[in-house]
Amino acid sequence: MILVLIFLCIIIILFLFFLVLLLSSIKLEIKDFELSNITEITTKDYMIKMSINLFGKIKIFSIKLNSNKLKKIYSKSKLEKINLKEIKEIFTVEDIKNLKLELMYLNVKVKIGLEDVILTSSLVFIISTAISILLPHIIKTYNSGNYIYEILPLYVNKNSYYIKLHCIIQLKIVHIINIIYIYLKKGRSDKYERASNRRSYEHSYE
């Protein structure tokens, strides 16, 4: 009887854990991030905050990483260069859409310049247009004070840039689980397809 009660308690705890997980969301904040090749950045102590919130409001867990901590993590982990081709093979544009990212806050200032003045103007126009098209798809409730972006040209006859960013992004854990499930399912189907192709290839030579 005691074992049955213990088993039921474990089942209930696991059920509640997964229920909370499914109803929770991850909030990621990048604050005071600056990057430039034209001026020395004086404020390098940027911060990344990540929290897990129930119903998007009740904080369950949070962690803060400043620039010094991130540098230590990077140096200890000995991260290799990111292979963009491998990422494209794993995650498609449709997968990113299915994540249903919500941009809660954006304050970004970009100054960018190329060696050619006409190309600089064109690039500024393209970036500004792309942001204006993208924002309505990742904003749930629009507030003009929460979404500020400024894209400016730098006419210095060389490739140059300055970026200052503060943003808050939120996504539901259930969407992450869904993407992982789709990826695992796709991996299994690809594996079976390769095995089937090998068998067909072998039979063709019998």
Side-chain angles (χ1 to χ4, degrees):
M1 185 67 181
I2 296 175
L3 290 175
V4 174
L5 289 174
I6 293 172
F7 179 74
L8 287 174
C9 288
I10 293 172
I11 294 297
I12 292 170
I13 291 170
L14 288 173
F15 173 76
L16 291 174
F17 172 77
F18 283 110
L19 183 63
V20 169
L21 197 65
L22 292 174
L23 295 174
S24 298
S25 59
I26 294 175
K27 184 183 290 185
L28 180 67
E29 180 177 3
I30 302 172
K31 189 176 182 181
D32 297 328
F33 177 81
E34 287 186 90
L35 188 66
S36 175
N37 69 343
I38 57 171
T39 181
E40 186 177 348
I41 305 298
T42 54
T43 306
K44 292 188 177 181
D45 193 21
Y46 59 89
M47 182 177 291
I48 294 178
K49 295 193 290 185
M50 188 183 75
S51 62
I52 297 176
N53 306 297
L54 181 61
F55 304 119
K57 295 180 179 180
I58 304 171
K59 189 178 292 184
I60 301 172
F61 168 82
S62 66
I63 184 172
K64 295 181 182 179
L65 298 171
N66 58 26
S67 55
N68 294 326
K69 289 181 180 178
L70 288 168
K71 286 176 183 177
K72 288 179 181 178
I73 292 171
Y74 180 82
S75 61
K76 287 181 180 179
S77 59
K78 297 179 181 179
L79 295 174
E80 298 179 356
K81 290 184 178 180
I82 297 172
N83 191 326
L84 294 177
K85 289 184 178 179
E86 290 182 1
I87 293 175
K88 287 180 180 179
E89 289 176 0
I90 296 172
F91 298 105
T92 63
V93 175
E94 191 64 30
D95 291 335
I96 296 172
K97 287 181 180 179
N98 289 334
L99 279 174
K100 297 181 180 178
L101 294 171
E102 180 186 349
L103 184 64
M104 303 180 70
Y105 180 85
L106 176 67
N107 190 335
V108 60
K109 184 175 183 179
V110 177
K111 295 180 181 179
I112 191 165
L114 301 173
E115 294 178 354
D116 187 281
V117 173
I118 296 175
L119 288 177
T120 297
S121 301
S122 300
L123 183 60
V124 169
F125 173 76
I126 291 169
I127 294 174
S128 301
T129 304
I131 293 175
S132 63
I133 293 172
L134 180 64
L135 284 181
H137 298 284
I138 55 176
I139 294 176
K140 191 173 182 180
T141 305
Y142 180 74
N143 184 335
S144 59
N146 289 341
Y147 303 99
I148 302 168
Y149 63 95
E150 188 177 13
I151 315 297
L152 301 172
L154 283 173
Y155 299 115
V156 290
N157 295 323
K158 67 175 183 178
N159 296 332
S160 53
Y161 60 87
Y162 170 81
I163 302 170
K164 186 175 183 180
L165 174 67
H166 181 192
C167 69
I168 302 174
I169 300 169
Q170 182 171 272
L171 65 157
K172 293 181 179 179
I173 292 178
V174 65
H175 294 146
I176 299 174
I177 295 172
N178 183 49
I179 292 297
I180 294 172
Y181 170 75
I182 292 171
Y183 169 68
L184 293 175
K185 187 178 179 182
K186 185 165 59 177
R188 286 197 298 269
S189 63
D190 290 343
K191 183 179 178 180
Y192 293 145
E193 186 178 346
R194 286 195 297 269
S196 177
N197 290 337
R198 281 199 301 270
R199 286 195 295 269
S200 300
Y201 181 79
E202 290 170 359
H203 291 322
S204 65
Y205 282 90
E206 289 180 356

